[in-house]
Amino acid sequence: MNDSKILEDKDNLMSPEEVAIDGYKALMNGDDKVISGLKNKLSVAMTNIATDSMAAHRMGEMQKPVNEK
């Protein structure tokens, strides 16, 4: 997972601090879940409208090692 395509561009990843702040704010608001970051929100939205097989294929492609096609 450390060399997956998802982690290829580390500059575009949210910092652990940003994610923790989002989680803490959600906890204090009584929210039972939170999706941190625009890219993650878009990914979840696409997964909700796609078929299960399409979503599974997309996730599999994103988690492949960088050197694998």
Side-chain angles (χ1 to χ4, degrees):
M1 179 77 178
N2 288 334
D3 62 345
S4 69
K5 293 177 184 177
I6 263 179
L7 299 175
E8 193 171 23
D9 189 6
K10 295 187 189 243
D11 293 334
N12 284 329
L13 294 176
M14 292 182 68
S15 72
E17 292 83 10
E18 292 171 310
V19 175
I21 289 169
D22 286 349
Y24 181 77
K25 287 178 182 177
L27 177 68
M28 292 296 108
N29 288 332
D31 297 335
D32 61 346
K33 64 181 175 183
V34 65
I35 301 167
S36 194
L38 179 63
K39 286 174 82 174
N40 291 330
K41 289 176 183 165
L42 291 172
S43 181
V44 168
M46 292 301 294
T47 300
N48 287 335
I49 62 173
T51 63
D52 288 344
S53 61
M54 286 173 58
H57 176 74
R58 183 172 176 269
M59 187 55 63
E61 289 296 316
M62 290 180 2
Q63 291 183 354
K64 280 185 180 177
V66 175
N67 57 1
E68 188 178 315
K69 291 185 178 184

